[in-house]
Amino acid sequence: MLDGYGLHELIWNMADQVINDYFVASPSDAGGRGIALSVRQDGTAADMTGASVYLEWRHRATGKRGAEPFEAVDASAGTFEVFYPAAMQECGGVADASIAVSRGDDTYISSRVFTIRVEPVVIGGGEHEDGF
């Protein structure tokens, strides 16, 4: 039910592309939200066979950071997906992120930095004074 519902579709067509999409996460979404990535070169699906793709992130408030591997959906068609890690979603705030590619031959390339807004949990996730 709702397979892929929390995946934000992102088409990455060139390294210097500005990624202005609106990415959202929440501590209550662990394992439910992430990115469905399509890598393109000149508008055509890029064959990413042999490459490793990572979501690099750093939470501004907590200072925590990490590199979460994308899972290949079809590397030959340049499609991957990743779910946001729980450590990135522990508290509300903003996480700076980029997509990094290891091409498999000791060369690397990454996207421009974009932001993921981690929204606070409205109900649950801690003690509240308002009765909930």
Side-chain angles (χ1 to χ4, degrees):
M1 176 194 280
L2 299 178
D3 291 338
Y5 190 74
L7 294 176
H8 181 103
E9 292 185 28
L10 174 62
I11 297 172
W12 185 32
N13 194 48
M14 59 189 286
D16 291 337
Q17 171 184 333
V18 175
I19 300 174
N20 285 329
D21 294 18
Y22 194 74
F23 298 87
V24 178
S26 167
S28 63
D29 289 338
R33 285 191 189 249
I35 298 172
L37 175 68
S38 296
V39 182
R40 302 284 183 257
Q41 187 170 11
D42 299 323
T44 304
D47 185 351
M48 301 288 289
T49 303
S52 298
V53 183
Y54 301 90
L55 174 68
E56 298 179 329
W57 61 272
R58 181 180 174 282
H59 197 288
R60 290 182 192 174
T62 66
K64 289 187 178 181
R65 60 187 178 161
E68 192 71 17
F70 276 82
E71 183 178 316
V73 174
D74 184 351
S76 66
T79 57
F80 300 85
E81 66 183 24
V82 67
F83 290 95
Y84 299 139
M88 187 191 83
Q89 300 178 92
E90 286 179 347
C91 73
V94 174
D96 294 312
S98 66
I99 297 163
V101 176
S102 170
R103 296 191 245 189
D105 60 1
D106 282 337
T107 61
Y108 305 86
I109 194 159
S110 62
S111 72
R112 294 187 63 180
V113 174
F114 57 94
T115 58
I116 301 170
R117 177 182 162 85
V118 181
E119 296 185 338
V121 175
V122 177
I123 297 177
E127 297 204 18
H128 300 279
E129 297 178 12
D130 59 7
F132 283 101

